[in-house]
Amino acid sequence: MSKTLSCPDDFRIEISGWGLDNSFFAEKTDLLWTSDGKKRVQLHRALPEGAIVFIRLLTLEPSSGSVPMTYRVQDVLPMDCNGRCQMTLEQLRPCSKESLNEKNASNGLDESRKESNVRELKGNVQHEEVLQ
């Protein structure tokens, strides 16, 4: 487990989140990055499709704390005979201010409520900037 990178498309990671039984887990495994751009993992537990997980790249330098990235679980295959479940991951990206103003699933909100949500988000961003 001391290696971080075993080949150009195989990365050593720590993945964490909540399993089917609603208990928190953290597991070290390999992130397989295929030639078609898909990311796959094999875990000792099954996760529901649509679950959100956090992935942190494990590095050789313990002092270089990598920042966890969020992913959504997709295409969960049945557990194999070795007790490992393979799934595909889709990286989630943070929303921008522009995306808040675009029409989306919350079109039913009236304009004043949208403005209130935007003001609240701006306040949270400023609060987070202070914490950093």
Side-chain angles (χ1 to χ4, degrees), residues 16-25 45-48 51-53:
S16 59
W18 285 265
L20 285 171
D21 59 356
N22 288 328
S23 64
F24 183 79
F25 74 93
R45 63 178 59 244
L47 299 177
I52 304 298
V53 293

Side-chain angles (χ1 to χ4, degrees), residues 9-129:
D9 48 16
D10 185 3
F11 299 91
R12 195 74 185 146
I13 61 164
E14 179 182 68
I15 183 169
S16 59
W18 285 265
L20 285 171
D21 59 356
N22 288 328
S23 64
F24 183 79
F25 74 93
E27 184 175 332
K28 291 179 182 167
T29 188
D30 293 319
L31 175 68
L32 307 171
W33 199 332
T34 62
S35 60
D36 60 355
K38 293 190 178 196
K39 296 172 186 161
R40 293 192 173 99
V41 293
Q42 288 188 339
L43 298 177
H44 287 103
R45 63 178 59 244
L47 299 177
E49 287 197 22
I52 304 298
V53 293
F54 303 94
I55 292 182
R56 184 174 62 89
L57 184 63
L58 298 175
T59 62
L60 294 175
E61 299 100 28
S63 62
S64 69
S66 66
V67 176
M69 304 294 288
T70 55
Y71 287 82
R72 177 176 289 130
V73 174
Q74 299 177 327
D75 303 325
V76 179
L77 298 179
M79 200 155 287
D80 65 15
C81 60
N82 297 320
R84 296 183 64 94
C85 185
Q86 180 174 306
M87 55 204 74
T88 304
L89 301 173
E90 173 192 22
Q91 185 173 353
L92 298 177
R93 308 225 188 284
C95 293
S96 65
K97 288 181 184 178
E98 291 79 28
S99 68
L100 290 175
N101 295 327
E102 293 176 5
K103 294 190 179 226
N104 55 29
S106 62
N107 280 350
L109 293 177
D110 61 357
E111 289 303 315
S112 63
R113 196 161 157 206
K114 282 183 185 178
E115 289 173 14
S116 172
N117 288 344
V118 169
R119 279 193 304 272
E120 182 179 330
L121 285 172
K122 285 180 182 176
N124 287 343
V125 169
Q126 291 169 353
H127 182 65
E128 289 174 5
E129 290 172 352

